[in-house]
Amino acid sequence: MTAQIHSAAEYALELRGIDKHFGAVHANKNIDLKVEKGTIHGIVGENGAGKSTLMSIIYGFYEADKGDIAIDGRVLKIRDSKTAIASGIGMVHQHFMLIQNFTALENVILGAESGELIDDSLDKARAELNRLSEEFGLSVPLDQPVEELSVGFQQRIEILKALYRGARILILDEPTGVLTPQETEHLFKVLDSLKAQGTTVILITHKLREILAATDNVSVMRRGEMVAHVKTAETNQEELAELMVGRKVLLQVDKGDSTPGDFKLSVRNLSMTDSAGVKRLDNVSLSVRAGEIVGIAGVSGNGQSELLETLAGITPVDTGTIDLNGHTLDAEHPMNPSQVRHAGIGHIPEDRHRMGLINTFSAYEAFVLGYHRNAEYNGTVQMNQAAIIADCQEKMERWDVRPQDPYLKTANFSGGNQQKLVIAREIEQNPDVLLIGQPTRGVDIGAIESIHQRILDMRDAGKAILLVSVELDEIRSLADRILVMFDGTIVGEVPADKADERTLGLMMANIVPDEIKALQSEEPA
């Protein structure tokens, strides 16, 4: 029989001795955690530190092997998410759980319908959502299909879903990864409003600056253990990074001046319309030289994905011309992804699950995707499996992929370690041009330091790099020149040394400040 936890009334959530194994992997080791009512509590840690597992236990996706969970001082057995929701726990996942062709209102009531008639449920939900929207600043067009809404609105719908179901404890997993700086600022105002009304918020993020700006307390996990609990006002980025990684971390890579060479990538008047007749790229022109990094900033969904996929040969060109490392790519001269790779182009896709990996493959199989015809991986008759496994093992050690098991299914690695597999696969092929989409999405701060340094090393070795990222700190840290995309067009270019967050944020909303217009008008044609 489970012993009672005599939690003080001020704790909304208390964990005692939470332990969880997945086979030989000890994901959570005797975790203790106390979250005060009406506070914003941050949880940080490296990829694979056990954060997601712990949150999944709280939300009922997993059941702990041992240990106790108390909500408002009462010990509960949370065996599924239905129990968690009934106990006042809500969760907003990093990848939104929304049905795209449903309206916002339909998404909110899905699974929480009341009565026999759907119209009654919709009317009741509409009235309550209008109240919640006004109270917390979460206005959403309730009758518009989700697929037509920005990611900022979609996130508000997820928060409204949780609040509509009575959440008193709200867990947010990497909530700002797809938001503009202005949307992030609004989200934090919403969280402050929730806190003021007594809601307890647990914020999972790898962005230490946001932890320091938004939270009251922060807990640090490392290798499955809880290693520190600190008041946010009494810590800083350097201390938190060191606690997370177990060593001192460089929060800013040392980037010297670039020495651009010949043009390796040139795009002229590129346009592309998707199968639904929507113009995704509109007269895009850009260039990247050897030895430079050109960054593209913008809110996710403004054409960056389509640009990368067109350059990589995945999506055909409608109009315009692309010069890829001396090879012409246009409507009359198409190239498939294999031909693009053979032309010396590497591609780190934005979405590792949709385009970078096959989750049922082992790590060593995923490591040769797209390069499986390389001579070093093939024998006289069939693929040289031993050579592939040995090469994968060596690269996993070099890139600190955890666990270093070439036979482990890629689905069983944490998101950050999956990302390391994809990045290592592309960079280790030593391409002349590297197309990078969201290189550190879901990656912890220690790995970010390493990945950023590898990208700069590629630049300094004379490689041409086109970098797409929604992380403005990342773009500003790595890029030599920054382009901003909005609604399929490039709205402006900013030199890296003049690219402050306010300016980029405004441009991402299609507002080009006068000083940037003046700067561009001075540039030679």
Side-chain angles (χ1 to χ4, degrees), residues 79-135:
R79 292 190 170 91
D80 53 37
S81 56
K82 183 178 180 181
T83 305
I85 292 168
S87 303
I89 301 170
M91 186 166 180
V92 177
H93 301 269
Q94 183 176 2
H95 301 286
F96 302 147
M97 306 291 187
L98 299 172
I99 297 178
Q100 292 294 303
N101 60 349
F102 276 24
T103 66
L105 182 60
E106 290 165 343
N107 269 282
V108 168
I109 70 162
L110 187 62
E113 301 88 347
S114 60
E116 297 180 0
L117 298 177
I118 191 66
D119 286 344
D120 292 340
S121 294
L122 291 171
D123 290 342
K124 176 187 173 184
R126 186 185 301 276
E128 177 63 8
L129 290 173
N130 285 333
R131 183 189 70 80
L132 291 169
S133 296
E134 185 174 345
E135 184 174 356

Side-chain angles (χ1 to χ4, degrees), residues 129-438:
L129 290 173
N130 285 333
R131 183 189 70 80
L132 291 169
S133 296
E134 185 174 345
E135 184 174 356
F136 298 114
L138 287 165
S139 60
V140 169
L142 293 176
D143 297 309
Q144 196 166 340
V146 164
E147 61 193 354
E148 297 177 4
L149 299 177
S150 70
V151 290
F153 276 126
Q154 291 185 36
Q155 185 179 73
R156 293 184 198 182
I157 295 168
E158 289 281 24
I159 295 174
L160 284 169
K161 273 173 57 180
L163 296 177
Y164 181 71
R165 287 160 172 75
R168 302 184 309 278
I169 300 172
L170 183 62
I171 302 169
L172 295 104
D173 185 10
E174 299 288 354
T176 65
V178 292
L179 303 182
T180 67
Q182 287 80 5
E183 287 173 324
T184 297
E185 184 178 346
H186 181 268
L187 172 64
F188 289 164
K189 289 179 180 177
V190 169
L191 297 187
D192 283 338
S193 180
L194 288 167
K195 169 185 163 181
Q197 296 294 326
T199 302
T200 303
V201 178
I202 300 176
L203 178 63
I204 315 299
T205 179
H206 67 276
K207 300 178 182 179
L208 296 184
R209 188 170 63 171
E210 292 180 359
I211 284 286
L212 294 173
T215 66
D216 301 292
N217 302 290
V218 57
S219 297
V220 183
M221 295 186 69
R222 187 169 72 236
R223 297 182 182 264
E225 297 181 284
M226 196 67 77
V227 297
H229 304 282
V230 296
K231 289 189 177 298
T232 307
E234 298 174 359
T235 188
N236 54 53
Q237 289 193 60
E238 290 74 18
E239 180 184 35
L240 289 175
E242 187 171 350
L243 285 168
M244 286 168 57
V245 180
R247 61 174 174 81
K248 290 192 178 296
V249 177
L250 292 175
L251 298 177
Q252 184 78 22
V253 289
D254 184 15
K255 181 181 72 174
D257 293 335
S258 63
T259 54
D262 296 335
F263 288 107
K264 291 292 184 179
L265 169 64
S266 296
V267 179
R268 293 182 296 280
N269 308 120
L270 179 66
S271 294
M272 190 275 284
T273 302
D274 67 14
S275 58
V278 177
K279 193 167 231 184
R280 298 297 184 183
L281 297 174
D282 188 2
N283 201 35
V284 171
S285 296
L286 61 89
S287 62
V288 188
R289 295 174 179 267
E292 76 166 344
I293 298 173
V294 174
I296 296 184
V299 178
S300 182
N302 277 277
Q304 307 96 309
S305 299
E306 289 79 7
L307 176 61
L308 286 182
E309 290 174 17
T310 303
L311 296 177
I314 298 167
T315 301
V317 174
D318 284 352
T319 60
T321 304
I322 302 169
D323 188 290
L324 281 172
N325 203 23
H327 298 75
T328 299
L329 170 59
D330 57 25
E332 295 181 359
H333 305 89
M335 295 173 69
N336 62 37
S338 178
Q339 292 170 320
V340 170
R341 280 193 296 272
H342 283 297
I345 316 301
H347 177 214
I348 297 169
E350 290 185 287
D351 189 334
R352 56 180 171 265
H353 294 139
R354 185 172 68 90
M355 205 169 287
L357 296 168
I358 298 174
N359 282 340
T360 56
F361 276 21
S362 301
Y364 77 85
E365 295 171 311
F367 188 72
V368 296
L369 280 175
Y371 301 99
H372 49 282
R373 292 186 176 88
N374 287 14
E376 63 267 29
Y377 299 140
N378 287 273
T380 306
V381 178
Q382 60 187 9
M383 295 185 73
N384 188 339
Q385 189 179 59
I388 295 171
I389 292 170
D391 193 37
C392 179
Q393 179 75 58
E394 178 190 342
K395 301 303 190 301
M396 291 177 87
E397 292 172 3
R398 186 181 303 172
W399 285 80
D400 192 27
V401 177
R402 303 176 191 173
Q404 290 174 3
D405 181 358
Y407 298 95
L408 188 66
K409 300 294 184 188
T410 56
N412 294 330
F413 289 91
S414 71
N417 284 295
Q418 291 175 345
Q419 186 74 358
K420 289 181 191 177
L421 276 173
V422 174
I423 293 175
R425 179 180 69 208
E426 299 302 317
I427 286 184
E428 292 288 344
Q429 293 296 325
N430 196 32
D432 294 320
V433 178
L434 186 58
L435 311 173
I436 308 178
Q438 317 299 346

Side-chain angles (χ1 to χ4, degrees), residues 494-513:
V494 190
D497 59 355
K498 298 184 183 301
D500 60 90
E501 188 170 292
R502 173 187 169 275
T503 298
L504 291 176
L506 289 172
M507 293 176 71
M508 288 161 66
N510 200 26
I511 302 169
V512 181

